[in-house]
Amino acid sequence: MIDDFLLRALLAGIGLAIATGPLGCFVVWRRMAYFGDATAHAAVLGVAFALILGLPLTFGTLLIALAMGLAVSALSARGHAMDTTLGVLAHSALAIGLVAISFVQGVRIDVSSLLFGDILAVGSSDLTVIYTGASLVLALLVWRWQSLLTSTLNPELAVAAGISPKREQLLLTLALALTVAIAIKVVGALLISAMLLLPSASARSLSRTPEAMALWAVLIGVLAVFGGLMGSYWFDTPTGPSIVSAAALIFTVSLPLRKLAQ
């Protein structure tokens, strides 16, 4: 019989995969990998912000991650180089967040759990937060799916159809920030972008349509969570990195399938 903590961890991973699967597809299609990484790094600053002001960690993380996304979008729109802007903001937010946490009195925070996650410590209240956030992300993507897809594949056609690419980008930023907020406890700030990218990149080899790719990304994410949890349990390895390692293994196996499909 599966232990309760493993069952909660598996349920948390499934909830995360529900959000990261379809959202990760847009990250891949729009080449937003570094954008997602910067938003995830900002989550650590969000934790510090929440601790200092006495706010719920999820709320503080969501607020700062969203602010990071909006700041990057605003600076890139003003002509700043995207890769440089992302690099400066991402590493600055991570460093400032870690320094700020060290000054918080009366609170003990395991920095490694912020960076790499602590999925085995997930409780019932955490599951509620994860599934509420994942449901909101999924509902947002389903609601705006066609508009998001059109603005991703052909921005000019989107404008002609009355769709604002900037608005769709803002919605993606919101969805990404919400996903980061619910994912930081599961896989940590440094591994969130991997869970956005690896299942979606693997799903490319198995899909003929965008919808199929999103579905495959969810299934692969769930498989990676299950494989990583079992590997961590059997070999006594860190759970968050084990999940990402399982996702990386699936991606490696999927590469020959992509060559056959071409």
Side-chain angles (χ1 to χ4, degrees):
M1 183 176 179
I2 188 170
D3 293 326
D4 288 344
F5 74 93
L6 278 178
L7 179 59
R8 288 194 298 269
L10 179 61
L11 291 174
I14 292 172
L16 177 61
I18 290 172
T20 58
L23 181 60
C25 291
F26 284 103
V27 171
V28 170
W29 293 331
R30 286 175 171 252
R31 299 180 180 180
M32 293 172 60
Y34 206 4
F35 187 92
D37 200 37
T39 307
H41 280 56
V44 176
L45 180 57
V47 170
F49 178 76
L51 290 174
I52 292 171
L53 297 182
L55 301 172
L57 294 186
T58 302
F59 178 77
T61 304
L62 172 62
L63 191 62
I64 297 300
L66 182 58
M68 168 68 81
L70 294 176
V72 170
S73 298
L75 289 173
S76 61
R78 293 184 179 183
H80 294 273
M82 176 65 81
D83 57 344
T84 303
T85 300
L86 287 171
V88 169
L89 292 179
H91 298 300
S92 299
L94 178 60
I96 293 171
L98 292 174
V99 170
I101 287 173
S102 69
F103 284 104
V104 178
Q105 300 295 324
V107 178
R108 296 185 64 183
I109 292 291
D110 183 4
V111 173
S112 66
S113 68
L114 290 178
L115 300 179
F116 303 108
D118 192 10
I119 191 172
L120 297 180
V122 167
S124 300
S125 59
D126 296 314
L127 287 177
T128 301
V129 171
I130 289 170
Y131 275 89
T132 300
S135 298
L136 290 173
V137 170
L138 189 61
L140 178 62
L141 293 178
V142 170
W143 172 48
R144 303 299 301 175
W145 181 264
Q146 198 57 51
S147 297
L148 285 168
L149 199 59
T150 302
S151 63
T152 297
L153 299 177
N154 194 326
E156 291 79 13
L157 178 61
V159 173
I163 300 170
S164 170
K166 289 185 178 180
R167 181 184 61 202
E168 306 307 320
Q169 174 69 30
L170 179 61
L171 290 173
L172 273 181
T173 301
L174 175 61
L176 189 59
L178 184 55
T179 301
V180 167
I182 66 173
I184 189 168
K185 185 159 188 175
V186 179
V187 291
L190 298 184
L191 303 179
I192 292 172
S193 56
M195 286 303 294
L196 285 166
L197 288 173
L198 287 170
S200 302
S202 302
R204 265 185 167 178
S205 305
L206 306 172
S207 311
R208 297 289 184 181
T209 65
E211 292 77 13
M213 182 173 165
L215 180 59
W216 272 111
V218 173
L219 296 176
I220 291 171
V222 172
L223 180 61
V225 168
F226 180 79
L229 282 173
M230 293 303 99
S232 175
Y233 184 77
W234 290 331
F235 301 110
D236 193 24
T237 54
T239 310
S242 296
I243 292 172
V244 177
S245 297
L249 179 61
I250 296 171
F251 172 72
T252 302
V253 172
S254 73
L255 290 177
L257 298 177
R258 185 173 184 180
K259 292 181 180 179
L260 291 175
Q262 289 177 347

